[in-house]
Amino acid sequence: MRVDIVSIFPEYFAPLDLSLIGKARANGRLRLAVHDLRSWTHDVHRTVDDTPYGGGPGMVMRPEPWGEALDALAPDELSPDGHTLPRLLVPSPAGVPFTQAMAHELAAESHLLFACGRYEGIDQRVLDHAATRMRVTEVSLGDYVLFGGEVAVLVILEAVTRLLPGVLGNAGSLDEESHAHGLLEAPMYTKPATWRGHEVPEVLRSGDHGRIARWRRDEALSRTATRRPDMMAALPPESLDKRDRAALDRGGFSSPPGDVAK
Ligand code: JD8
C-alpha cells in the first residue's frame, strides 16, 4: 500500500518510524511519504491561511497550496506503474465516523492520500474540486474537538496498517476482536494468580474450556450492556441465545428485543 500525507506539521509523523508500522515500511508492505504543505507555497512567508469569507473567528487554509499538492500527489496521467488515483481522506469533525469497517475498506486500497487541515479547516473548494477526479472522504475520529487532522491520521493509519497482510504476524488475534463480533471484550489476566490481594477469577484457572468460554461471553455481555448501550441495541436479535439472555437477566440488564431461536 502507498500512503501520502500532507501537513504543515510533518514532524508529527515521526512515530511512524517505530514499531509495527515501521516494520511494515521496512519490509516494503507500506510505502509512506510525508509532505510539507508549505513546499507548495510561493511567497516568502510560505502562507497557507487567510481570513474566512463571511466572517468569524480564526483562519481558513487557502486553496492554492492544496491544489498544487493534490496535483503533484494524484496526477491525472496514469503513472508508469499503472497505478490508479488515490483515495483522498480528509479528517474533519464534520466527517463520517471512522469505524473498524472503514479500516477494513481502507486496507483494501492501493493508495491513500491524507490531507491534514489546521485552523478552521481547508477551503471547501479543494475537496469539491478533488471530488471531480477521485474518491474523497471526510472522516471524523469522534465527537470531540482536535486542533487539526494530524492525530486523526496517526490513529487511522495504525488501524489500517495492522490489517495489511503480514503486518500483525498473528492472524488469529484479528478476528476475535470486539468490533468484529459486536461486543466488548472480557477482561484479561496473566500471572501471578494473586497480586496485591486481587485474585484471578477461579474459572480462568480451572482448565474447563466450556466454562471459560461461557464466563467470557457473560463478561462481554454485561460490560457491553453497562458501557455501550448503543452496541447492545445494534446487536442482531438472533446473535443472543437463551443462555445469553439469562446471563443478562441475572446481571439485571434487559436484553434487546427480538425472538430467540435457541
Ligand atoms: C481536522 C482543523 C480544528 C475544526 C474548529 C478548531 C477529526 N474527531 C475530530 N475532532 N476534531 C477533528 C479535526 C479538527 C480540525 C481539523 C480534524 C482541522 N480542525 C477546527 C473546525 C472547527 N476547530 C477531528 N478527524
PDB file of all heavy atoms in Angstrom, residues 90-94 116-122 139-150 152 156, ligand 1:
ATOM      1  N   VAL A  90      -9.861  13.122   4.328  1.00  0.00           N
ATOM      2  CA  VAL A  90      -9.698  14.421   4.969  1.00  0.00           C
ATOM      3  C   VAL A  90     -10.326  14.382   6.360  1.00  0.00           C
ATOM      4  O   VAL A  90     -11.550  14.395   6.487  1.00  0.00           O
ATOM      5  CB  VAL A  90     -10.345  15.543   4.124  1.00  0.00           C
ATOM      6  CG1 VAL A  90     -10.015  16.906   4.722  1.00  0.00           C
ATOM      7  CG2 VAL A  90      -9.910  15.463   2.671  1.00  0.00           C
ATOM      8  N   PRO A  91      -9.500  14.295   7.415  1.00  0.00           N
ATOM      9  CA  PRO A  91     -10.055  14.321   8.773  1.00  0.00           C
ATOM     10  C   PRO A  91     -10.774  15.636   9.030  1.00  0.00           C
ATOM     11  O   PRO A  91     -10.276  16.705   8.661  1.00  0.00           O
ATOM     12  CB  PRO A  91      -8.817  14.193   9.668  1.00  0.00           C
ATOM     13  CG  PRO A  91      -7.784  13.552   8.811  1.00  0.00           C
ATOM     14  CD  PRO A  91      -8.039  14.092   7.425  1.00  0.00           C
ATOM     15  N   SER A  92     -11.935  15.530   9.655  1.00  0.00           N
ATOM     16  CA  SER A  92     -12.746  16.710   9.966  1.00  0.00           C
ATOM     17  C   SER A  92     -13.771  16.325  11.016  1.00  0.00           C
ATOM     18  O   SER A  92     -14.313  15.219  10.974  1.00  0.00           O
ATOM     19  CB  SER A  92     -13.466  17.177   8.686  1.00  0.00           C
ATOM     20  OG  SER A  92     -14.620  17.929   9.020  1.00  0.00           O
ATOM     21  N   PRO A  93     -14.053  17.234  11.969  1.00  0.00           N
ATOM     22  CA  PRO A  93     -15.107  16.906  12.937  1.00  0.00           C
ATOM     23  C   PRO A  93     -16.466  16.765  12.261  1.00  0.00           C
ATOM     24  O   PRO A  93     -17.396  16.226  12.860  1.00  0.00           O
ATOM     25  CB  PRO A  93     -15.078  18.073  13.926  1.00  0.00           C
ATOM     26  CG  PRO A  93     -14.286  19.144  13.283  1.00  0.00           C
ATOM     27  CD  PRO A  93     -13.437  18.535  12.223  1.00  0.00           C
ATOM     28  N   ALA A  94     -16.579  17.230  11.014  1.00  0.00           N
ATOM     29  CA  ALA A  94     -17.838  17.123  10.280  1.00  0.00           C
ATOM     30  C   ALA A  94     -17.863  15.901   9.353  1.00  0.00           C
ATOM     31  O   ALA A  94     -18.762  15.768   8.526  1.00  0.00           O
ATOM     32  CB  ALA A  94     -18.076  18.405   9.467  1.00  0.00           C
ATOM     33  N   CYS A 116      -4.197  16.862   5.897  1.00  0.00           N
ATOM     34  CA  CYS A 116      -4.377  17.308   7.287  1.00  0.00           C
ATOM     35  C   CYS A 116      -4.645  18.801   7.330  1.00  0.00           C
ATOM     36  O   CYS A 116      -3.758  19.603   7.032  1.00  0.00           O
ATOM     37  CB  CYS A 116      -3.128  17.019   8.107  1.00  0.00           C
ATOM     38  SG  CYS A 116      -2.739  15.274   8.214  1.00  0.00           S
ATOM     39  N   GLY A 117      -5.844  19.156   7.738  1.00  0.00           N
ATOM     40  CA  GLY A 117      -6.178  20.562   7.923  1.00  0.00           C
ATOM     41  C   GLY A 117      -5.758  21.042   9.294  1.00  0.00           C
ATOM     42  O   GLY A 117      -5.477  20.253  10.202  1.00  0.00           O
ATOM     43  N   ARG A 118      -5.689  22.359   9.431  1.00  0.00           N
ATOM     44  CA  ARG A 118      -5.441  23.049  10.710  1.00  0.00           C
ATOM     45  C   ARG A 118      -6.351  24.275  10.728  1.00  0.00           C
ATOM     46  O   ARG A 118      -7.121  24.482   9.812  1.00  0.00           O
ATOM     47  CB  ARG A 118      -3.971  23.497  10.807  1.00  0.00           C
ATOM     48  CG  ARG A 118      -3.057  22.371  11.223  1.00  0.00           C
ATOM     49  CD  ARG A 118      -2.912  22.346  12.745  1.00  0.00           C
ATOM     50  NE  ARG A 118      -2.605  21.015  13.244  1.00  0.00           N
ATOM     51  CZ  ARG A 118      -2.365  20.740  14.531  1.00  0.00           C
ATOM     52  NH1 ARG A 118      -2.378  21.717  15.436  1.00  0.00           N
ATOM     53  NH2 ARG A 118      -2.146  19.517  14.909  1.00  0.00           N
ATOM     54  N   TYR A 119      -6.217  25.098  11.734  1.00  0.00           N
ATOM     55  CA  TYR A 119      -7.031  26.314  11.876  1.00  0.00           C
ATOM     56  C   TYR A 119      -8.521  25.936  11.858  1.00  0.00           C
ATOM     57  O   TYR A 119      -8.924  24.993  12.515  1.00  0.00           O
ATOM     58  CB  TYR A 119      -6.690  27.343  10.786  1.00  0.00           C
ATOM     59  CG  TYR A 119      -5.202  27.516  10.568  1.00  0.00           C
ATOM     60  CD1 TYR A 119      -4.594  27.156   9.362  1.00  0.00           C
ATOM     61  CD2 TYR A 119      -4.381  28.021  11.591  1.00  0.00           C
ATOM     62  CE1 TYR A 119      -3.220  27.307   9.167  1.00  0.00           C
ATOM     63  CE2 TYR A 119      -3.001  28.167  11.395  1.00  0.00           C
ATOM     64  CZ  TYR A 119      -2.442  27.808  10.193  1.00  0.00           C
ATOM     65  OH  TYR A 119      -1.099  27.940  10.009  1.00  0.00           O
ATOM     66  N   GLU A 120      -9.316  26.643  11.035  1.00  0.00           N
ATOM     67  CA  GLU A 120     -10.755  26.327  10.953  1.00  0.00           C
ATOM     68  C   GLU A 120     -11.033  25.311   9.849  1.00  0.00           C
ATOM     69  O   GLU A 120     -12.196  25.027   9.544  1.00  0.00           O
ATOM     70  CB  GLU A 120     -11.577  27.599  10.727  1.00  0.00           C
ATOM     71  CG  GLU A 120     -11.453  28.612  11.864  1.00  0.00           C
ATOM     72  CD  GLU A 120     -11.836  28.039  13.228  1.00  0.00           C
ATOM     73  OE1 GLU A 120     -12.936  27.478  13.340  1.00  0.00           O
ATOM     74  OE2 GLU A 120     -11.021  28.152  14.170  1.00  0.00           O
ATOM     75  N   GLY A 121      -9.983  24.774   9.248  1.00  0.00           N
ATOM     76  CA  GLY A 121     -10.153  23.773   8.201  1.00  0.00           C
ATOM     77  C   GLY A 121      -9.695  24.267   6.846  1.00  0.00           C
ATOM     78  O   GLY A 121      -9.111  25.346   6.720  1.00  0.00           O
ATOM     79  N   ILE A 122      -9.945  23.437   5.811  1.00  0.00           N
ATOM     80  CA  ILE A 122      -9.487  23.683   4.440  1.00  0.00           C
ATOM     81  C   ILE A 122     -10.632  24.289   3.638  1.00  0.00           C
ATOM     82  O   ILE A 122     -11.786  23.866   3.789  1.00  0.00           O
ATOM     83  CB  ILE A 122      -9.040  22.350   3.792  1.00  0.00           C
ATOM     84  CG1 ILE A 122      -7.952  21.669   4.655  1.00  0.00           C
ATOM     85  CG2 ILE A 122      -8.564  22.563   2.360  1.00  0.00           C
ATOM     86  CD1 ILE A 122      -7.607  20.240   4.207  1.00  0.00           C
ATOM     87  N   VAL A 139     -13.634  12.317   7.109  1.00  0.00           N
ATOM     88  CA  VAL A 139     -13.763  11.312   8.149  1.00  0.00           C
ATOM     89  C   VAL A 139     -13.505  11.938   9.517  1.00  0.00           C
ATOM     90  O   VAL A 139     -12.635  12.791   9.668  1.00  0.00           O
ATOM     91  CB  VAL A 139     -12.798  10.133   7.848  1.00  0.00           C
ATOM     92  CG1 VAL A 139     -11.351  10.578   7.816  1.00  0.00           C
ATOM     93  CG2 VAL A 139     -12.992   8.994   8.812  1.00  0.00           C
ATOM     94  N   SER A 140     -14.311  11.527  10.512  1.00  0.00           N
ATOM     95  CA  SER A 140     -14.173  12.037  11.876  1.00  0.00           C
ATOM     96  C   SER A 140     -13.771  10.920  12.826  1.00  0.00           C
ATOM     97  O   SER A 140     -14.271   9.803  12.725  1.00  0.00           O
ATOM     98  CB  SER A 140     -15.492  12.637  12.350  1.00  0.00           C
ATOM     99  OG  SER A 140     -15.452  12.872  13.754  1.00  0.00           O
ATOM    100  N   LEU A 141     -12.879  11.234  13.757  1.00  0.00           N
ATOM    101  CA  LEU A 141     -12.495  10.239  14.768  1.00  0.00           C
ATOM    102  C   LEU A 141     -13.559  10.084  15.826  1.00  0.00           C
ATOM    103  O   LEU A 141     -13.688   9.019  16.427  1.00  0.00           O
ATOM    104  CB  LEU A 141     -11.195  10.660  15.459  1.00  0.00           C
ATOM    105  CG  LEU A 141      -9.883  10.237  14.899  1.00  0.00           C
ATOM    106  CD1 LEU A 141      -8.869  10.174  16.015  1.00  0.00           C
ATOM    107  CD2 LEU A 141      -9.955   8.891  14.194  1.00  0.00           C
ATOM    108  N   GLY A 142     -14.301  11.138  16.117  1.00  0.00           N
ATOM    109  CA  GLY A 142     -15.295  11.055  17.176  1.00  0.00           C
ATOM    110  C   GLY A 142     -15.765  12.427  17.583  1.00  0.00           C
ATOM    111  O   GLY A 142     -15.284  13.444  17.065  1.00  0.00           O
ATOM    112  N   ASP A 143     -16.688  12.443  18.535  1.00  0.00           N
ATOM    113  CA  ASP A 143     -17.339  13.698  18.904  1.00  0.00           C
ATOM    114  C   ASP A 143     -16.594  14.449  19.994  1.00  0.00           C
ATOM    115  O   ASP A 143     -17.043  14.537  21.138  1.00  0.00           O
ATOM    116  CB  ASP A 143     -18.795  13.422  19.307  1.00  0.00           C
ATOM    117  CG  ASP A 143     -19.617  12.913  18.143  1.00  0.00           C
ATOM    118  OD1 ASP A 143     -19.207  13.167  16.978  1.00  0.00           O
ATOM    119  OD2 ASP A 143     -20.645  12.259  18.371  1.00  0.00           O
ATOM    120  N   TYR A 144     -15.436  14.940  19.628  1.00  0.00           N
ATOM    121  CA  TYR A 144     -14.636  15.814  20.477  1.00  0.00           C
ATOM    122  C   TYR A 144     -13.808  16.644  19.511  1.00  0.00           C
ATOM    123  O   TYR A 144     -13.738  16.316  18.324  1.00  0.00           O
ATOM    124  CB  TYR A 144     -13.737  15.008  21.430  1.00  0.00           C
ATOM    125  CG  TYR A 144     -13.197  13.751  20.816  1.00  0.00           C
ATOM    126  CD1 TYR A 144     -12.103  13.811  19.951  1.00  0.00           C
ATOM    127  CD2 TYR A 144     -13.809  12.526  21.029  1.00  0.00           C
ATOM    128  CE1 TYR A 144     -11.624  12.673  19.348  1.00  0.00           C
ATOM    129  CE2 TYR A 144     -13.338  11.381  20.424  1.00  0.00           C
ATOM    130  CZ  TYR A 144     -12.245  11.459  19.588  1.00  0.00           C
ATOM    131  OH  TYR A 144     -11.779  10.322  18.977  1.00  0.00           O
ATOM    132  N   VAL A 145     -13.210  17.735  20.005  1.00  0.00           N
ATOM    133  CA  VAL A 145     -12.562  18.686  19.092  1.00  0.00           C
ATOM    134  C   VAL A 145     -11.040  18.631  19.200  1.00  0.00           C
ATOM    135  O   VAL A 145     -10.486  18.788  20.283  1.00  0.00           O
ATOM    136  CB  VAL A 145     -13.063  20.129  19.336  1.00  0.00           C
ATOM    137  CG1 VAL A 145     -12.440  21.086  18.336  1.00  0.00           C
ATOM    138  CG2 VAL A 145     -14.583  20.195  19.248  1.00  0.00           C
ATOM    139  N   LEU A 146     -10.390  18.391  18.080  1.00  0.00           N
ATOM    140  CA  LEU A 146      -8.931  18.402  17.982  1.00  0.00           C
ATOM    141  C   LEU A 146      -8.487  19.709  17.335  1.00  0.00           C
ATOM    142  O   LEU A 146      -9.300  20.460  16.794  1.00  0.00           O
ATOM    143  CB  LEU A 146      -8.455  17.215  17.134  1.00  0.00           C
ATOM    144  CG  LEU A 146      -8.943  15.825  17.572  1.00  0.00           C
ATOM    145  CD1 LEU A 146      -8.521  14.772  16.557  1.00  0.00           C
ATOM    146  CD2 LEU A 146      -8.427  15.476  18.957  1.00  0.00           C
ATOM    147  N   PHE A 147      -7.175  19.961  17.368  1.00  0.00           N
ATOM    148  CA  PHE A 147      -6.626  21.165  16.725  1.00  0.00           C
ATOM    149  C   PHE A 147      -6.491  20.995  15.221  1.00  0.00           C
ATOM    150  O   PHE A 147      -6.436  21.967  14.484  1.00  0.00           O
ATOM    151  CB  PHE A 147      -5.239  21.478  17.294  1.00  0.00           C
ATOM    152  CG  PHE A 147      -5.274  22.356  18.504  1.00  0.00           C
ATOM    153  CD1 PHE A 147      -4.549  22.008  19.641  1.00  0.00           C
ATOM    154  CD2 PHE A 147      -6.000  23.544  18.517  1.00  0.00           C
ATOM    155  CE1 PHE A 147      -4.557  22.821  20.765  1.00  0.00           C
ATOM    156  CE2 PHE A 147      -6.011  24.367  19.638  1.00  0.00           C
ATOM    157  CZ  PHE A 147      -5.289  23.998  20.774  1.00  0.00           C
ATOM    158  N   GLY A 148      -6.350  19.727  14.783  1.00  0.00           N
ATOM    159  CA  GLY A 148      -6.101  19.503  13.361  1.00  0.00           C
ATOM    160  C   GLY A 148      -6.184  18.035  13.029  1.00  0.00           C
ATOM    161  O   GLY A 148      -6.493  17.211  13.892  1.00  0.00           O
ATOM    162  N   GLY A 149      -5.910  17.682  11.766  1.00  0.00           N
ATOM    163  CA  GLY A 149      -6.099  16.318  11.301  1.00  0.00           C
ATOM    164  C   GLY A 149      -4.952  15.358  11.581  1.00  0.00           C
ATOM    165  O   GLY A 149      -5.089  14.158  11.364  1.00  0.00           O
ATOM    166  N   GLU A 150      -3.823  15.861  12.084  1.00  0.00           N
ATOM    167  CA  GLU A 150      -2.626  15.005  12.202  1.00  0.00           C
ATOM    168  C   GLU A 150      -2.842  13.788  13.102  1.00  0.00           C
ATOM    169  O   GLU A 150      -2.490  12.659  12.736  1.00  0.00           O
ATOM    170  CB  GLU A 150      -1.426  15.823  12.693  1.00  0.00           C
ATOM    171  CG  GLU A 150      -0.778  16.697  11.625  1.00  0.00           C
ATOM    172  CD  GLU A 150      -1.542  17.988  11.344  1.00  0.00           C
ATOM    173  OE1 GLU A 150      -2.514  18.291  12.075  1.00  0.00           O
ATOM    174  OE2 GLU A 150      -1.173  18.684  10.385  1.00  0.00           O
ATOM    175  N   ALA A 152      -5.575  12.406  13.994  1.00  0.00           N
ATOM    176  CA  ALA A 152      -6.563  11.518  13.369  1.00  0.00           C
ATOM    177  C   ALA A 152      -5.889  10.610  12.344  1.00  0.00           C
ATOM    178  O   ALA A 152      -6.185   9.409  12.269  1.00  0.00           O
ATOM    179  CB  ALA A 152      -7.685  12.342  12.718  1.00  0.00           C
ATOM    180  N   ILE A 156      -5.892   6.541  12.272  1.00  0.00           N
ATOM    181  CA  ILE A 156      -6.442   5.809  11.121  1.00  0.00           C
ATOM    182  C   ILE A 156      -5.377   4.884  10.531  1.00  0.00           C
ATOM    183  O   ILE A 156      -5.639   3.714  10.240  1.00  0.00           O
ATOM    184  CB  ILE A 156      -6.984   6.794  10.064  1.00  0.00           C
ATOM    185  CG1 ILE A 156      -8.210   7.531  10.616  1.00  0.00           C
ATOM    186  CG2 ILE A 156      -7.318   6.068   8.754  1.00  0.00           C
ATOM    187  CD1 ILE A 156      -8.639   8.747   9.807  1.00  0.00           C
TER     188      ILE A 156
HETATM  189  C1  JD8 B   1      -9.305  18.239  11.331  1.00  0.00           C
HETATM  190  C2  JD8 B   1      -8.896  21.796  11.848  1.00  0.00           C
HETATM  191  C3  JD8 B   1      -9.880  22.204  14.097  1.00  0.00           C
HETATM  192  C4  JD8 B   1     -12.165  22.243  13.083  1.00  0.00           C
HETATM  193  C5  JD8 B   1     -12.798  24.496  14.692  1.00  0.00           C
HETATM  194  C6  JD8 B   1     -10.819  24.108  15.987  1.00  0.00           C
HETATM  195  C7  JD8 B   1     -11.143  14.573  13.192  1.00  0.00           C
HETATM  196  N1  JD8 B   1     -12.759  13.988  15.633  1.00  0.00           N
HETATM  197  C8  JD8 B   1     -12.206  15.178  15.345  1.00  0.00           C
HETATM  198  N2  JD8 B   1     -12.313  16.261  16.083  1.00  0.00           N
HETATM  199  N3  JD8 B   1     -11.671  17.276  15.520  1.00  0.00           N
HETATM  200  C9  JD8 B   1     -11.124  16.865  14.353  1.00  0.00           C
HETATM  201  C10 JD8 B   1     -10.411  17.769  13.449  1.00  0.00           C
HETATM  202  C11 JD8 B   1     -10.301  19.130  13.806  1.00  0.00           C
HETATM  203  C12 JD8 B   1      -9.714  20.018  12.920  1.00  0.00           C
HETATM  204  C13 JD8 B   1      -9.213  19.595  11.681  1.00  0.00           C
HETATM  205  C14 JD8 B   1      -9.894  17.346  12.212  1.00  0.00           C
HETATM  206  C15 JD8 B   1      -8.699  20.724  11.027  1.00  0.00           C
HETATM  207  N4  JD8 B   1      -9.512  21.365  12.987  1.00  0.00           N
HETATM  208  C16 JD8 B   1     -11.129  23.014  13.804  1.00  0.00           C
HETATM  209  C17 JD8 B   1     -13.398  23.070  12.769  1.00  0.00           C
HETATM  210  C18 JD8 B   1     -13.912  23.820  13.949  1.00  0.00           C
HETATM  211  N5  JD8 B   1     -11.728  23.566  15.015  1.00  0.00           N
HETATM  212  C19 JD8 B   1     -11.459  15.512  14.219  1.00  0.00           C
HETATM  213  N6  JD8 B   1     -10.891  13.826  12.386  1.00  0.00           N
END
